[in-house]
Amino acid sequence: MDAHVLDDITVVDLTTFVTGGFATLMLANQGAEVIKVERPGAGDDNRHSGPPFVDPDPDYDGPGRTADENGESPYFWTINYDKLSVEFNLKTESGLEALYDLVAEADVVIENFRPGTAERLGVGYDDLRDVNDDLVYCSISAFGETGPWSSRPGYDLLVQGTSGIMSVTGPEDGDPVKVGLPQTDLITAMWAAFGVVGALFRRERTGEGDRIELGMHDAALPWLTKQAGKAFVGEEPTRMGTKDPVLAPYQTYPTADGYLNVGCANQKLWGELCAAIGRPDLGDDDRFASNPDRVEHMDELEAELSEVFRERTTDEWVELLAEDHGLPVAPLYDVPKALDNEQTEARGVVREIEHPALGTVPVIEHPLNYENATAGFEGAPPLLGEDTEAILGELGYDAADIDALRDEGAIPDR
């Protein structure tokens, strides 16, 4: 089998929740060994995100344990496939030394403490570079390490607000709406993973490590794209429901039994759509002659097309327009249907991994398909501390050393 792109790369993950966790998840998908360093007893905050929770097999007697009394969080699974978990108390001298031993053998460290916290704990870039001088170190925070907001705490909800995303999301005449997934967490995570891979590539050429620093607010702003383009010329982007500020028709329309997304936003596609739905007169209407005309008269266009699309079911329109005429239309699915349909199944995006304590765990694979390399998750999400003793053993700790760490409170008692 072809090798993973990041085989032989070891990542020490000091993060909690989604921003850092999804960044290291992306690296794990490409073959990196990701070792989560978690707080003894509590672990990653994401372990406590629920309901829902799932009870482990009561007969399981292997390493690790459930961090939350309610069970294991499926949300945690989606951010932590194919990682290892160790519990180190970084507020003890021996726990910190164990981390240093781990970092000395690693390639990458990612942290998302509030600015200044890593340095206070002794795990800042300068601290860890002393034990590994070619380390790639990535720091993630809500608003970055400079500027008047740098000391503020932040989560996805806050950054969706400060980045302008919520101001352009929601019904035209309604309140601002949060995107229904942790968008700025995921945006930041992708930037972080991109930066880490870039720094590793540079290290291959120069032999030098690097420090990457980014804030969630900064990470979200480049994604404004067309909305930023309007703001740059003095216009104020507004909430438009499913409409688009610069393209039409490019929105959701009601059908006889659901909804249909239509993206016929150039002249060729517009003309073909008018013919296919039996309304060639719309193509001859001066209000809809060009894309700028259609954008200017978007409400009238919506009224005309909504009346047409209500005449048939979503499946009937998809068959006619997408299958028969090759036009860019698609159904609007709920999440269960998005995860379970013929296209998702054919691409093998959702599959299952066996976990000794949890049984079968569903996994969503990442979308990169290489011709000459392999990608994908090989391991289930770890129980809290599942790999503590095994990792310490690989670092040269014997049973007496591990017992001493336990006696000093550096790692939890079994």
Side-chain angles (χ1 to χ4, degrees), residues 297-326:
H297 298 282
M298 197 176 294
D299 290 343
E300 295 102 308
L301 179 62
E302 179 181 39
E304 294 281 2
L305 292 180
S306 293
E307 184 178 347
V308 173
F309 288 129
R310 285 193 180 97
E311 295 174 357
R312 303 190 189 192
T313 67
T314 299
D315 286 347
E316 288 173 333
W317 283 121
V318 169
E319 181 176 0
L320 173 66
L321 300 179
E323 301 293 342
D324 296 347
H325 290 273

Side-chain angles (χ1 to χ4, degrees), residues 257-309:
D257 66 345
Y259 296 94
L260 185 74
N261 282 326
V262 178
C264 297
N266 65 38
Q267 284 304 106
K268 177 177 181 295
L269 293 173
W270 167 241
E272 292 175 356
L273 176 68
C274 293
I277 64 175
R279 289 294 305 272
D281 58 297
L282 295 178
D284 298 329
D285 192 316
D286 290 342
R287 296 174 298 170
F288 312 134
S290 67
N291 184 71
D293 294 323
R294 293 191 292 276
V295 170
E296 183 178 354
H297 298 282
M298 197 176 294
D299 290 343
E300 295 102 308
L301 179 62
E302 179 181 39
E304 294 281 2
L305 292 180
S306 293
E307 184 178 347
V308 173
F309 288 129

Side-chain angles (χ1 to χ4, degrees), residues 4-5 25-32 81-82 351 353 363-370 373-379:
H4 287 78
V5 173
L25 184 76
M26 294 179 69
L27 302 176
N29 186 262
Q30 301 307 307
Y81 303 121
D82 212 5
R351 62 186 185 89
I353 292 178
V363 58
I364 303 174
E365 283 289 1
H366 287 188
L368 299 174
N369 300 293
Y370 296 98
T374 190
F377 298 113
E378 297 180 353

Side-chain angles (χ1 to χ4, degrees), residues 110-159:
I110 301 183
E111 57 91 1
N112 65 347
F113 298 112
R114 199 183 302 188
T117 301
E119 289 73 19
R120 288 195 299 273
L121 289 172
V123 298
Y125 176 55
D126 291 338
D127 300 303
L128 300 188
R129 187 173 54 178
D130 285 343
V131 299
N132 186 337
D133 61 7
D134 65 355
L135 185 69
V136 171
Y137 185 103
C138 180
S139 296
I140 303 170
S141 60
F143 299 106
E145 296 184 359
T146 58
W149 298 354
S150 60
S151 63
R152 293 183 185 179
Y155 289 99
D156 171 71
L157 172 64
L158 279 64
V159 178

Side-chain angles (χ1 to χ4, degrees), residues 46-219:
N46 212 31
R47 290 185 180 275
H48 308 279
S49 296
F53 292 97
V54 176
D55 291 330
D57 183 345
D59 296 326
Y60 174 73
D61 61 358
R65 61 201 183 285
T66 296
D68 194 285
E69 63 181 8
N70 296 299
E72 287 287 295
S73 166
Y75 184 18
F76 174 82
W77 301 346
T78 65
I79 312 296
N80 291 286
Y81 303 121
D82 212 5
K83 299 181 186 179
L84 307 175
S85 170
V86 300
E87 292 174 277
F88 291 167
N89 183 351
L90 300 183
K91 295 182 179 180
T92 65
E93 183 176 344
S94 54
L96 196 57
E97 286 298 325
L99 176 69
Y100 290 163
D101 290 338
L102 181 60
V103 170
E105 303 297 323
D107 300 280
V108 177
V109 170
I110 301 183
E111 57 91 1
N112 65 347
F113 298 112
R114 199 183 302 188
T117 301
E119 289 73 19
R120 288 195 299 273
L121 289 172
V123 298
Y125 176 55
D126 291 338
D127 300 303
L128 300 188
R129 187 173 54 178
D130 285 343
V131 299
N132 186 337
D133 61 7
D134 65 355
L135 185 69
V136 171
Y137 185 103
C138 180
S139 296
I140 303 170
S141 60
F143 299 106
E145 296 184 359
T146 58
W149 298 354
S150 60
S151 63
R152 293 183 185 179
Y155 289 99
D156 171 71
L157 172 64
L158 279 64
V159 178
Q160 285 204 32
T162 64
S163 65
I165 290 173
M166 288 177 64
S167 75
V168 294
T169 305
E172 294 179 56
D173 299 320
D175 295 330
V177 172
K178 181 177 76 70
V179 177
L181 47 83
Q183 185 177 47
T184 67
D185 281 332
L186 302 174
I187 288 170
T188 307
M190 297 184 76
W191 281 118
F194 175 67
V196 165
V197 172
L200 289 171
F201 178 68
R202 179 180 178 275
R203 191 179 72 172
E204 285 295 306
R205 295 187 298 165
T206 67
E208 295 178 337
D210 210 339
R211 179 173 187 252
I212 305 156
E213 184 267 330
L214 72 160
M216 294 170 63
H217 177 77
D218 304 346

Side-chain angles (χ1 to χ4, degrees), residues 326-403:
L327 291 168
V329 305
L332 191 155
Y333 285 160
D334 59 21
V335 173
K337 184 66 173 176
L339 294 172
D340 185 13
N341 61 70
E342 59 184 1
Q343 181 65 21
T344 301
E345 181 179 355
R347 297 285 288 175
V349 180
V350 179
R351 62 186 185 89
E352 295 180 338
I353 292 178
E354 290 297 321
H355 191 290
L358 301 171
T360 299
V361 174
V363 58
I364 303 174
E365 283 289 1
H366 287 188
L368 299 174
N369 300 293
Y370 296 98
E371 185 71 22
N372 297 312
T374 190
F377 298 113
E378 297 180 353
L383 293 173
L384 177 60
E386 183 175 338
D387 307 286
T388 302
E389 294 193 17
I391 293 295
L392 288 170
E394 291 176 8
L395 296 174
Y397 288 66
D398 62 22
D401 296 327
I402 292 172
D403 285 340

